[in-house]
Amino acid sequence: MMIRLDKYLADMGAGTRSEIRKSIRAGRAAVNGAVTKRPEIKIDTEKDTVELNGQNVSYEAYEYFMLNKPSGTVSAVTDRQETTVVNLIRDRKRDDLFPVGRLDKDTEGLLLITNDGALAHRLLSPAKHVDKIYFARIRGAVTEEDKKLFARGLDIGDEKPTMPADLTICVSGEISEITLTIREGRFHQVKRMFQAVGKEVIYLKRLGMGPLILDEHLKPGEYRRLTDKEVTELCSLERKQ
Ligand code: URA
């Protein structure tokens, strides 16, 4: 990709465009080892090397992070009052990251944070039916009857019933523990599905989305970059569907 030097540096979080232009004009940037004072020169992001203040600045068109979202953060880019999931990603290069889909403020677990809009669009497209796997604690005994109802599809007050969902009962009792795989992403879907069978979700955590599985080493609030393998799997899912 060919882009202007000042945009290259701004994309990589080196400052605002005007700060960067000042630095370039002051002779603090070099391209392929030679100082340039021209913010507008075109850089080949695949081939050229860029330095600012003597530090190499490599270009990344896309960044992909797996976050274990903690309860109490909002699935947004910015918010006046609340900490957002993007605020938690501190060592990013790009300033155009966003969360792929939403988890409720009190939900924990897997959230993909990226600036790859095409990937996000495909993962979230209702037509793609990407699996989302959740773990939940439920007030009340979850039963085999619930399992059948979830598999059949439930009326949760929307125009259409939910698509068949796989409910696995891990513990059934006063507080039950379950895993649930759904293939849609409706607003408060898991909570509303349990409401429809007279039960309440008291803890919710997302474990998986398509081929991505939450890394068990990530504590709530921690994140890591996706591995190349995970990125390839996500992109091949895009093509398969
Ligand atoms: N379903 C819900 O009810 N809440 C979430 O955060 C995700 C799925």
Side-chain angles (χ1 to χ4, degrees), residues 103-104 107 134 188-191 204:
L103 292 175
D104 297 337
T107 301
Y134 292 90
H188 295 328
Q189 182 162 345
V190 177
K191 291 174 184 167
L204 186 60

Side-chain angles (χ1 to χ4, degrees), residues 38-227:
R38 292 170 50 218
E40 73 283 1
I41 61 160
K42 288 282 170 53
I43 304 297
D44 183 337
T45 58
E46 308 290 316
K47 290 193 194 133
D48 293 330
T49 60
V50 173
E51 284 164 71
L52 184 67
N53 300 320
Q55 301 280 321
N56 190 50
V57 181
S58 60
Y59 193 81
E60 286 194 50
Y62 296 114
E63 288 188 296
Y64 303 90
F65 294 93
M66 172 189 291
L67 170 69
N68 184 356
K69 178 191 173 297
S71 175
T73 51
V74 294
S75 297
V77 176
T78 54
D79 192 281
R80 286 204 182 165
Q81 275 128 36
E82 314 274 3
T83 303
T84 73
V85 291
V86 173
N87 294 151
L88 298 176
I89 312 292
R90 286 170 304 274
D91 57 357
R92 60 190 143 130
K93 290 189 166 180
R94 307 230 26 141
D95 63 1
D96 52 358
L97 298 180
F98 59 87
V100 177
R102 284 170 187 275
L103 292 175
D104 297 337
K105 189 174 169 186
D106 60 353
T107 301
E108 292 185 356
L110 176 67
L111 200 54
L112 172 62
I113 313 275
T114 184
N115 61 322
D116 186 342
L119 173 66
H121 182 74
R122 290 190 176 101
L123 280 171
L124 296 176
S125 160
K128 303 280 183 196
H129 306 314
V130 173
D131 282 3
K132 284 91 158 175
I133 308 170
Y134 292 90
F135 167 82
R137 288 200 188 93
I138 310 295
R139 197 182 309 286
V142 178
T143 62
E144 288 300 316
E145 180 57 20
D146 294 330
K147 200 171 154 152
K148 281 189 203 138
L149 294 170
F150 276 56
R152 212 176 288 155
L154 285 169
D155 179 358
I156 59 170
D158 291 344
E159 214 173 285
K160 285 187 186 165
T162 56
M163 288 177 65
D166 302 332
L167 176 62
T168 303
I169 303 168
C170 311
V171 177
S172 179
E174 236 170 82
I175 304 290
S176 301
E177 293 190 349
I178 61 94
T179 60
L180 178 67
T181 304
I182 58 175
R183 295 171 184 94
E184 303 159 283
R186 300 191 200 178
F187 186 61
H188 295 328
Q189 182 162 345
V190 177
K191 291 174 184 167
R192 287 160 70 210
M193 288 175 82
F194 278 97
Q195 247 169 27
V197 295
K199 278 153 207 156
E200 187 196 355
V201 173
I202 54 175
Y203 172 79
L204 186 60
K205 175 178 185 176
R206 184 156 64 191
L207 304 177
M209 184 176 186
L212 265 195
I213 301 294
L214 179 66
D215 185 331
E216 60 186 28
H217 297 106
L218 295 176
K219 298 195 186 87
E222 291 184 346
Y223 63 91
R224 66 161 170 78
R225 286 179 188 273
L226 293 195
T227 62

